Amino acid sequence: MGILAILIVGRLFMKIDPVRNWVYKKLNPRETDRLINSELGSPNATDSVSSDPTPRLWSTASRQRLRSLDTFRGLSLIIMVFVNYGGGKYWFFKHESWNGLTVADLVFPWFVFIMGTSISLSLSSMLRWGSSKWKVLRKILWRSFLLILLGIIVVNPNYCLGPLSWDNLRIPGVLQRLGFTYLVVAALELLFTRAGAESGTLEMPCPALQDILPYWPQWIFILMLEVIWLCLTFLLPVPGCPRGYLGPGGIGDFGKYPNCTGGAAGYIDRLLLGEKHIYQHPSSSVIYQTTMPYDPEGILGTINTIFMAFLGLQAGKIILFYKDQHKHIMSRFFIWSIVMGIISAILTKCSKEEGFIPINKNLWSISYVTTMSCFAFILLLLIYYLVDVKRLWSGAPFFYPGMNSILVYIGHEVFENYFPFKWKMQDSQSHAEHLTQNLTATTLWVIISYLLYRRRIFWKI
């Protein structure tokens, strides 16, 4: 009723000429495009010549949108929604209990990766539009705060469980990690961005590394973070556990370390946040019968999430430096994929359990990040080729949820247990019924995002 009353009053005001003219002036197409192209949307690859201080690089008069970025984001998001709704109760749409990978383990890192790519392009666009670094920093801080706040609200629903108890408030979560990761990576890019680097006006000792060498302080910072992660993971003493323990605890490792779930990562979360403020039902609890709470979005794993977003940031820089040079862009995506794949092969010894650092989504291990970034570079290469180079595919239907990613993610979490996204099934053991329900719910969010796109409604933070 409240919404209906606002719409009626809005219609009445829109009949007044001065008000209508003011609204149209504020919502002119150029400004609308700029609002759409925030870092959680997909920035434009080109801007108009009239507003461009570097015409050699940004020479196209029309504003073109990189649909491949929205398509990549939408694909990751839709798989994430389908997995969160149950994935038809198939094992490969459930998160791996501990070491290893399933389809469900692919999507969150890809979402982080493409967020990093969008950060590179959007910050470049904002600075070229004349925004000061302080103004951009304020936007970064505000958006990070909103993401973290929304995350805490979403992961602590109390609309069906009575008043929320602050004693059991879960602090970590997906949006919280996205918010903090965005804060670090965007601030890092803003701090060390160099005028003239993207336009090719800076002299480089090695032109083949022109998208890397100007940003060497960023690489030093990221390498320092990885050293911190390695030291804490393998050297931090954890009471009752061997140093460097990466196991699930419980009955894993023949039940020798039942209270050591996650090793240093779990210990740090329990020490700093408290046992009641982290996830109480980790994926390891079913097979390994773990009793300790463990949060897959905990503190230590956030370091490697930052690394994942930074690799996505690198993909964005490749797009900026090699604008319209499709072969260069795709070849560099391929090279990065090969490099990350080789690192993963070394760290894991090409095995699930026997490597130096196994692939583990719960821990967000470094091998997990290198493997996911290997896949992400290849997937982005394919989508970029099909959507933006050859234009063989419009990106539909994934393009539409990619344009409203935050709304779709929060909406699917909030309305998860409401009809028509969920209903009582006749046979809860039937894959067919679960699959029908989960596909219906996921398809509804695609339809909703399409309708919002047609009406030019985009929720950007």
Side-chain angles (χ1 to χ4, degrees):
M1 291 296 291
I3 293 172
L4 181 62
I6 292 172
L7 290 174
I8 293 172
V9 172
R11 279 178 174 270
L12 292 175
F13 274 107
M14 287 298 288
K15 292 181 179 180
I16 304 173
D17 288 341
V19 174
R20 185 172 63 251
N21 293 337
W22 180 83
V23 171
Y24 287 159
K25 182 179 179 182
K26 288 295 182 182
L27 296 179
N28 67 78
R30 178 182 291 269
E31 183 65 19
T32 301
D33 282 345
R34 290 180 61 191
L35 289 172
I36 291 172
N37 295 320
S38 70
E39 69 292 331
L40 291 178
S42 176
N44 289 330
T46 59
D47 288 304
S48 63
V49 175
S50 61
S51 63
D52 184 15
T54 57
R56 188 174 71 82
L57 180 67
W58 307 94
S59 58
T60 306
S62 62
R63 298 174 66 89
Q64 299 175 0
R65 187 180 185 85
L66 280 177
R67 294 178 69 95
S68 55
L69 301 189
D70 293 303
T71 303
F72 186 106
R73 184 188 300 106
L75 174 63
S76 305
L77 179 61
I78 289 306
I79 299 175
M80 188 187 299
V81 170
F82 181 65
V83 165
N84 289 347
Y85 277 152
K89 295 299 180 182
Y90 292 102
W91 67 268
F92 46 86
F93 284 122
K94 293 183 180 180
H95 292 293
E96 185 64 74
S97 295
W98 201 248
N99 293 336
L101 281 177
T102 65
V103 176
D105 298 319
L106 304 177
V107 288
F108 185 31
W110 287 351
F111 198 87
V112 172
F113 179 89
I114 205 64
M115 182 182 74
T117 305
S118 296
I119 286 173
S120 177
L121 301 180
S122 65
L123 289 188
S124 174
S125 177
M126 283 189 281
L127 292 175
R128 283 184 292 102
W129 272 93
S131 297
S132 68
K133 285 193 174 184
W134 283 110
K135 182 179 180 180
V136 175
L137 180 60
R138 285 195 297 271
K139 289 183 177 180
I140 291 171
L141 292 171
W142 176 244
R143 285 165 175 159
S144 301
F145 168 76
L146 286 179
L147 278 172
I148 293 171
L149 178 63
L150 286 170
I152 291 176
I153 293 172
V154 168
V155 299
N156 293 285
N158 65 338
Y159 42 82
C160 296
L161 305 177
L164 177 67
S165 170
W166 293 103
D167 295 333
N168 299 314
L169 180 79
R170 182 187 172 191
I171 298 175
V174 170
L175 288 178
Q176 295 93 305
R177 179 170 282 192
L178 284 175
F180 186 77
T181 299
Y182 167 70
L183 172 64
V184 174
V185 175
L188 187 66
E189 175 68 1
L190 183 66
L191 181 63
F192 293 108
T193 188
R194 296 180 61 182
E198 295 162 6
S199 62
T201 57
L202 293 180
E203 292 186 4
M204 300 290 172
C206 182
L209 300 177
Q210 62 175 318
D211 55 330
I212 299 176
L213 291 181
Y215 304 98
W216 63 266
Q218 296 178 347
W219 285 97
I220 296 296
F221 178 82
I222 293 298
L223 289 175
M224 288 175 59
L225 284 183
E226 288 307 314
V227 170
I228 292 172
W229 182 86
L230 289 169
C231 290
L232 289 175
T233 299
F234 292 101
L235 300 179
L236 181 71
V238 179
C241 307
R243 286 186 187 233
Y245 181 71
L246 300 176
I251 63 173
D253 302 296
F254 303 102
K256 293 179 181 178
Y257 317 111
N259 298 323
C260 295
T261 303
Y267 175 67
I268 290 173
D269 288 343
R270 293 190 292 269
L271 181 67
L272 298 181
L273 302 178
E275 290 190 7
K276 293 185 178 180
H277 296 293
I278 59 178
Y279 193 48
Q280 300 296 309
H281 308 288
S283 59
S284 59
S285 60
V286 177
I287 290 182
Y288 296 102
Q289 300 177 21
T290 55
T291 57
M292 298 293 291
Y294 179 82
D295 207 305
E297 277 77 51
I299 296 172
L300 193 57
T302 304
I303 292 177
N304 285 335
T305 309
I306 292 170
F307 181 38
M308 186 79 194
F310 182 75
L311 291 171
L313 188 80
Q314 187 61 37
K317 289 174 182 175
I318 291 171
I319 294 172
L320 285 172
F321 274 91
Y322 298 96
K323 177 194 158 295
D324 288 338
Q325 301 178 48
H326 301 311
K327 288 185 178 179
H328 281 87
I329 291 174
M330 292 189 292
S331 63
R332 294 186 81 81
F333 284 171
F334 183 73
I335 291 171
W336 271 104
S337 179
I338 294 298
V339 170
M340 291 295 107
I342 291 173
I343 295 173
S344 295
I346 294 172
L347 291 175
T348 63
K349 298 182 181 179
C350 297
S351 70
K352 180 179 177 180
E353 305 283 355
E354 304 301 324
F356 300 109
I357 304 177
I359 295 173
N360 190 297
K361 193 265 182 187
N362 283 288
L363 297 172
W364 267 75
S365 62
I366 184 64
S367 58
Y368 175 66
V369 170
T370 54
T371 304
M372 292 300 97
S373 59
C374 169
F375 295 164
F377 274 112
I378 285 292
L379 181 61
L380 182 57
L381 187 160
L382 292 173
I383 295 177
Y384 177 76
Y385 177 76
L386 293 173
V387 175
D388 286 321
V389 178
K390 291 299 184 180
R391 301 179 186 268
L392 299 174
W393 177 32
S394 67
F398 305 113
F399 173 77
Y400 307 115
M403 290 284 289
N404 252 320
S405 54
I406 297 299
L407 185 147
V408 172
Y409 180 81
I410 293 178
H412 101 275
E413 288 278 3
V414 171
F415 295 102
E416 177 181 2
N417 294 313
Y418 290 86
F419 182 84
F421 304 102
K422 193 173 185 178
W423 59 85
K424 186 175 181 179
M425 291 180 287
Q426 297 295 322
D427 182 5
S428 61
Q429 301 301 312
S430 167
H431 278 301
E433 285 199 53
H434 279 287
L435 186 61
T436 300
Q437 186 179 94
N438 301 153
L439 282 176
T440 300
T442 306
T443 303
L444 283 173
W445 284 113
V446 174
I447 294 172
I448 290 170
S449 62
Y450 172 73
L451 294 175
L452 292 174
Y453 174 81
R454 289 296 301 271
R455 292 179 175 271
R456 311 302 294 171
I457 300 174
F458 304 98
W459 184 23
K460 303 295 179 183
I461 296 176

